[in-house]
Amino acid sequence: MDKYMIDGGRRLYGTVKIQSAKNSVLPLFAASILTDKPVTIRETPAITDALCMAQILRELGAEVRFHGNDVTIDSSNACSHEISSALTKELRSSVFMLGSLLTRFRRALIAYPGGCDIGLRPIDLHLNALKHLGVDITERDGYILCKCDRLRGAEILLDFPSVGATENIMLAAVMAEGRTVLQGAAKEPEIVDLQNFLNAMGAKIAGAGSDVIEIEGVKKLNGVSYKPVKDRIEAGTFLLACAACGGEMEVVGVKADNIGLLLHKLRENGCKIHIKNDKIRITSNGRLKCNRRIETMPFPGFPTDLQAQTTALNASCEGGALIVENLFETRFKYVPELQKMGADIEVKGRNAFVRGVPKLHGASLVAGDLRGGAALVIAALGAEGVSEVLDLSHIDRGYSDLQGKLKNLGAEIKRVRV
């Protein structure tokens, strides 16, 4: 097990290039099994979730080859519709394989997916939508067995704009007979990216980015070489780190519209934001002001994946903030770790009341999930004294060479073996 050692209080200066989006790359991996032609996903980040998805594809019989940052997937010899419980429990995104496997094999056997412990995250929306497409589903002993003779287009209405359910429906309907109309779809940029990827393979999908997606089933998909959208959550994490530490930073690669509400909140804190094309420059000087209220919502609302990092920033700002988490019921599990550093935060249900303190202090911290771990790193970077952040396995799921990028910006951080 590794840990970060962080000597806080250094201002951050420089430029950071943002990796491809974790939340886009994983469904693209799942989509690769829809064709028997090679698929290349360029600039894939070196994160453990991508490696886990690659191993799932290998167990299905696909050949997965890494060439630097590019990954080529050849599913021509894929023959299995079963995913081992060991892998599904490591990676929630394995649930995307349901739609892909049903399209390819008309069968799918998968254990209930795992990932970060941030709430129940039921997959009822996924399963109910698949039933509309003609899938029979049996749930037993922690496994889900899905099967069908054929997939048929349908009218589907989601009660909640679930990103995962939207993507699973797209993957299941892309080669279904006839037309599928999905209403109440999620609007995230990663949904648009999946549409663009599938269309580049020969799919007929329109409407991603709105709440209605129309899918005309095709008989065959081709191979493709594709570069995913950049990671808006990684970009937000670095912007929040600069805000917490002070300094001036430019993040490169992300469209400002994809993190528009975060940029608004950073201006509210007192940061200066300058945008030019895909470059976002932030300047942070002096003690910032707390955000009065941040409420997580589906896109284009404030992202739940940046809630913890934003709370870490507010912990040492002037004033008070109310953080409302609407999407995951246990996503404040990182708060006791911030309290070790002197943070004044009170959690009641889905609300966190933050009273800013002049400065956090170093402490021994444990990362309990991916984004909570990133929040602890931000807090440690801005704190007085030395902190250690233990259990980096969570952080490694979504950030590639986080410590290297931060060191290049002037942070005093090193990764050591425990």
Side-chain angles (χ1 to χ4, degrees):
M1 184 174 72
D2 290 356
K3 68 178 180 180
Y4 287 146
M5 295 299 301
I6 300 172
D7 192 353
R10 270 72 170 174
R11 296 167 73 85
L12 301 181
Y13 292 95
T15 300
V16 59
K17 293 184 178 179
I18 299 304
Q19 68 187 26
S20 295
K22 164 189 177 291
N23 291 334
S24 184
V25 167
L26 300 182
L28 299 192
F29 269 54
S32 69
I33 206 167
L34 296 173
T35 178
D36 57 5
K37 304 297 183 184
V39 168
T40 298
I41 302 172
R42 306 197 306 276
E43 298 184 14
T44 298
I47 55 177
T48 55
D49 271 11
L51 296 176
C52 187
M53 185 63 89
Q55 187 57 35
I56 287 174
L57 293 175
R58 289 190 180 108
E59 288 200 358
L60 297 173
E63 182 180 354
V64 183
R65 301 188 304 274
F66 286 78
H67 312 280
N69 292 328
D70 297 342
V71 180
T72 299
I73 302 164
D74 184 348
S75 300
S76 57
N77 292 322
C79 57
S80 175
H81 64 272
E82 300 182 11
I83 302 177
S84 69
S85 60
L87 288 171
T88 57
K89 289 176 181 176
E90 286 294 317
L91 180 64
R92 176 166 180 81
S93 296
S94 58
V95 74
F96 298 131
M97 296 303 303
L98 279 177
S100 295
L101 290 172
L102 284 164
T103 296
R104 180 71 182 266
F105 301 114
R106 302 293 187 263
R107 297 285 188 278
L109 179 65
I110 184 173
Y112 276 97
C116 286
D117 182 15
I118 56 175
L120 296 175
R121 301 198 288 186
I123 62 171
D124 293 351
L125 289 173
H126 302 241
L127 301 182
N128 289 336
L130 292 175
K131 289 176 182 177
H132 279 85
L133 296 171
V135 179
D136 293 323
I137 298 172
T138 303
E139 301 176 61
R140 185 175 60 239
D141 300 329
Y143 280 84
I144 306 164
L145 174 62
C146 301
K147 59 183 180 179
C148 61
D149 294 326
R150 59 193 179 104
L151 290 162
R152 301 182 300 276
E155 299 268 345
I156 300 173
L157 174 62
L158 289 180
D159 295 331
F160 178 83
S162 161
V163 173
T166 298
E167 291 173 332
N168 231 336
I169 294 163
M170 294 168 69
L171 293 170
V174 65
M175 297 173 70
E177 297 176 9
R179 184 167 174 263
T180 297
V181 178
L182 171 59
Q183 299 185 57
K187 304 175 185 178
E188 273 71 3
E190 295 80 17
I191 302 289
V192 178
D193 210 35
L194 179 59
Q195 172 186 275
N196 294 342
F197 178 80
L198 291 171
N199 284 347
M201 296 171 72
K204 295 181 179 179
I205 306 175
S210 74
D211 58 0
V212 179
I213 298 177
E214 299 183 11
I215 307 165
E216 193 70 39
V218 298
K219 294 188 180 299
K220 185 177 181 180
L221 294 176
N222 301 309
V224 69
S225 177
Y226 190 84
K227 184 166 69 173
V229 69
K230 297 299 182 180
D231 198 319
R232 60 195 172 98
I233 305 303
E234 187 198 30
T237 299
F238 277 100
L239 290 168
L240 288 160
C242 185
C245 295
E248 186 171 343
M249 181 192 299
E250 186 174 74
V251 298
V252 178
V254 171
K255 295 180 180 179
D257 289 347
N258 289 350
I259 50 171
L261 197 48
L262 172 67
L263 299 179
H264 170 73
K265 292 298 181 181
L266 286 168
R267 289 188 178 104
E268 187 178 272
N269 290 127
C271 297
K272 294 180 180 178
I273 305 290
H274 178 73
I275 300 164
K276 185 177 181 181
N277 299 324
D278 68 343
K279 297 180 176 67
I280 303 171
R281 181 174 293 275
I282 181 172
T283 304
S284 173
N285 290 312
R287 191 178 180 203
L288 302 179
K289 297 179 181 178
C290 278
N291 300 113
R292 286 163 298 203
R293 181 186 180 97
I294 289 178
E295 189 166 355
T296 64
M297 298 290 286
F299 189 85
F302 196 89
T304 182
D305 279 352
L306 288 175
Q307 176 260 102
Q309 301 94 307
T310 306
T311 302
L313 168 64
N314 278 272
S316 58
C317 290
E318 183 179 357
L322 170 62
I323 313 294
V324 183
E325 174 55 57
N326 289 310
L327 302 184
F328 297 115
E329 64 276 6
T330 62
R331 201 151 204 178
F332 288 121
K333 293 178 71 173
Y334 64 89
V335 166
E337 301 302 301
L338 292 180
Q339 290 169 337
K340 292 179 184 177
M341 308 177 75
D344 185 354
I345 304 173
E346 181 181 4
V347 176
K348 291 185 177 180
R350 291 178 179 262
N351 299 323
F353 302 89
V354 183
R355 302 171 188 86
V357 298
K359 203 75 175 176
L360 299 176
H361 56 75
S364 178
L365 311 167
V366 180
D369 63 78
L370 170 56
R371 306 306 177 184
L376 300 184
V377 171
I378 289 173
L381 290 169
E384 290 180 342
V386 176
S387 297
E388 62 174 2
V389 180
L390 297 159
D391 199 352
L392 302 187
S393 61
H394 293 290
I395 295 173
D396 290 342
R397 291 185 49 233
Y399 296 94
S400 173
D401 191 25
L402 180 60
Q403 72 279 4
K405 293 176 180 177
L406 287 169
K407 284 187 70 172
N408 288 339
L409 295 167
E412 189 66 37
I413 178 173
K414 60 183 178 180
R415 183 174 182 138
V416 297
R417 179 72 65 177
V418 177

